Amino acid sequence: MLKGRTAVITGSGRGIGKAIALKLAANGANIVINDIPSSDYADETCEEIKALGVDAIVVKGDVRKKDDVEALISAAIEKFGKIDIFVNNAGITRDGLMIRMNEEDWDLVMDINLKGSFNCIKAVARPMMKQRSGSIINIASIVGVMGNAGQANYVASKAGLIGLTKTTAKEFASRGIRCNAVAPGFIRSAMTDVLTDEVKQQYFNAIPLGKFGETDNIADVVVFLASDMSKYVTGQTINVDGGLVM
Ligand SMILES: NC(=O)c1ccc[n+]([C@@H]2O[C@H](COP(=O)([O-])OP(=O)(O)OC[C@H]3O[C@@H](n4cnc5c(N)ncnc54)[C@H](O)[C@@H]3O)[C@@H](O)[C@H]2O)c1
């Protein structure tokens, strides 16, 4: 379905980003893995992807830094000649009740989750505009839709990302570029492993499908949004949350 296309996924050394990279590769796309400089696991992920019969490279860098983002886009174009799919997946949490949340934790989460995506969209829009095609997919969160006590910074960043998705869709539609978001619910990963059993149980009780999500559930929807199967879909946020929010 994606044979010969190039996909760049930020924060894809592990977790949801890795599952997205593997699934795009299984559908024929060549892959550019990005993750922070200290992510030793990214090279192993790259080997797993190559074993699927596509080409892949690792370009380490921090999405907060414009120079790193420019280098990521340049390296992808140099290797594969174009970028068809760009997934803004890099994200972090620094949870705490608002009354106790410090400015550093607010800034760090906004810088990576929201400004990092802005940096990447701006940089990838140029080559996509030239080729008059492209699919940008932003990994938001269901809490950006419903709000969540203890996550003011994270919720604001993900709600902002949903707004950024709509604006990107409107600004670039005439150039053949689509932009959509995926809002995962509770997905089993390093990010959710650290939550207390009490919080996990609260989520579990509120999920109509009666189970936590897997990283592959998100990757399946990303493949749809990356492919021509969704060619008339832009500016949308697809909740992938077992029915948590309806
Ligand atoms: N796990 C969930 O339940 C869940 C739910 C909703 C949304 N999400 C979102 O999905 C995305 C992936 O989360 P995950 O659960 O796989 O978490 P994760 O921590 O396993 O993966 C995040 C990856 O992003 C990388 N990263 C962090 N900061 C970066 C930066 N500045 N530049 C480049 N890469 C950076 C990390 O090194 C890591 O490899 C995040 O945006 C997260 O907010 C996750």
Side-chain angles (χ1 to χ4, degrees), residues 61-81:
D62 186 329
V63 294
R64 285 175 295 177
K65 299 184 181 157
K66 273 201 302 198
D67 289 352
D68 286 12
V69 170
E70 291 292 347
L72 170 64
I73 301 300
S74 301
I77 301 273
E78 193 175 310
K79 171 78 178 165
F80 295 114

Side-chain angles (χ1 to χ4, degrees), residues 11 14 16 35-36 41 62-63 89 140 154 158 184-185 187 189 192:
R14 68 176 194 195
I16 291 175
D35 213 305
I36 49 173
Y41 42 84
D62 186 329
V63 294
N89 166 80
Y154 184 76
K158 295 300 188 177
I187 306 299
S189 78
T192 48

